[in-house]
Amino acid sequence: MVHVWPLTLRDEELVLRPLRRRDRFVHEGLRARNHEWLRPWDATDPTRPGRPPGFTALRRWSESQARQGLAVPLVITVDGRLLGQITAGPLQYGALRTAVLGYWIDQGAAGRGYVPRAAALLMDHLFVEMAMHRVEMTVRPENTASLRVVEKLHLREEGLRRGAIHVDGAWRDHLVFAMTAEEAGEIGEEHDPRGGKGILARLHREHPPHVRRLA
């Protein structure tokens, strides 16, 4: 039950892996094409307004955080095609053992169930392999797509944090959702045709992925 890096997680055609140097062209294209789609939900730095860090700075920061065990930053790929990112971080150890999940996805791939599957896959890893006790997600009340994600994952709503995160140039309220290791452990394996248990197995039971491939 330790942090291992580099890390790759798989669920059939969905693969979570580290960001690579050769991803630069595709990653920059995704971010540029989805700028307006992601802008209302992207975290911003109130002390450094303007453009976010470039690809090289982002990759180096992600690699450093991962090697220190402070985060698990992974890209979301489907059939080898990069579609977004999901990160568990910051990771807090000791008496807390908590991880916070954040993600983004290409608009063209939204609504296909990739984000819930990616989140479930990573949550299972955090609970089982890294012995995390609690996983959180914070969502702006206006973000109906992310509210649907936490609903599919059965995260508990814990309340509203006022001005919790600087997003899109201002301090924004966020709803807090969470799951503990005890809650994750209560997910049974009954009626699971895959023969497994856990968050991802339950998601597959309740929301079978009908469309497996991108157009």
Side-chain angles (χ1 to χ4, degrees), residues 10 13-14 29-30 46 51 63 73 79 81 94 100 108-109 116 122 132-133 135 148 154 183 185 192 201 208-209 214:
R10 291 182 171 85
E13 84 288 7
L14 177 74
L30 275 175
R51 299 185 64 182
E63 188 71 15
D79 291 328
R81 179 178 168 187
V100 180
L122 184 49
M132 286 289 156
H133 179 254
V135 174
R148 180 63 175 144
H154 294 266
E183 291 167 325
D192 183 2
L214 290 172

Side-chain angles (χ1 to χ4, degrees), residues 86-92 96-103 119 122-123 126-127 132-139 149-150 153 155-159 161 164-165 174-181 183 199:
I86 186 166
T87 298
L91 302 180
Q92 300 179 79
L96 292 176
R97 298 209 71 87
T98 296
V100 180
L101 288 192
Y103 65 85
L122 184 49
M123 288 173 68
L126 292 166
F127 284 130
M132 286 289 156
H133 179 254
R134 175 183 169 91
V135 174
E136 291 184 8
M137 289 181 66
T138 56
V139 180
V149 170
V150 296
L153 296 172
L155 272 69
R156 279 180 296 100
E157 183 176 343
E158 295 189 331
R161 287 182 183 166
I165 305 174
H174 281 70
L175 292 167
V176 180
F177 298 85
M179 180 181 291
T180 64
E183 291 167 325
I199 303 164

Side-chain angles (χ1 to χ4, degrees), residues 70 81 95 102 129:
L70 301 176
R81 179 178 168 187
E129 302 299 333

Side-chain angles (χ1 to χ4, degrees), residues 34-50:
N34 288 278
H35 175 73
E36 289 303 315
W37 158 255
L38 298 173
R39 181 182 53 77
W41 325 118
D42 269 349
T44 46
D45 186 343
T47 67
R48 305 176 70 177

Side-chain angles (χ1 to χ4, degrees), residues 179-207:
M179 180 181 291
T180 64
E182 290 85 359
E183 291 167 325
E186 292 171 359
I187 302 172
E189 55 188 65
E190 63 277 3
H191 309 304
D192 183 2
R194 292 165 170 253
K197 61 180 180 179
I199 303 164
L200 182 61
R202 179 174 64 183
L203 180 69
H204 277 297
R205 290 197 299 271
E206 297 179 350
H207 304 279

Side-chain angles (χ1 to χ4, degrees), residues 30-93:
L30 275 175
R31 293 297 306 185
R33 186 168 65 251
N34 288 278
H35 175 73
E36 289 303 315
W37 158 255
L38 298 173
R39 181 182 53 77
W41 325 118
D42 269 349
T44 46
D45 186 343
T47 67
R48 305 176 70 177
R51 299 185 64 182
F55 176 84
T56 300
L58 173 64
R59 193 190 64 79
R60 288 176 177 169
W61 181 87
S62 297
E63 188 71 15
S64 173
Q65 292 284 297
R67 292 197 178 279
Q68 294 178 72
L70 301 176
V72 182
L74 301 167
V75 294
I76 301 170
T77 71
V78 175
D79 291 328
R81 179 178 168 187
L82 198 158
L83 295 177
Q85 290 183 261
I86 186 166
T87 298
L91 302 180
Q92 300 179 79
Y93 298 94

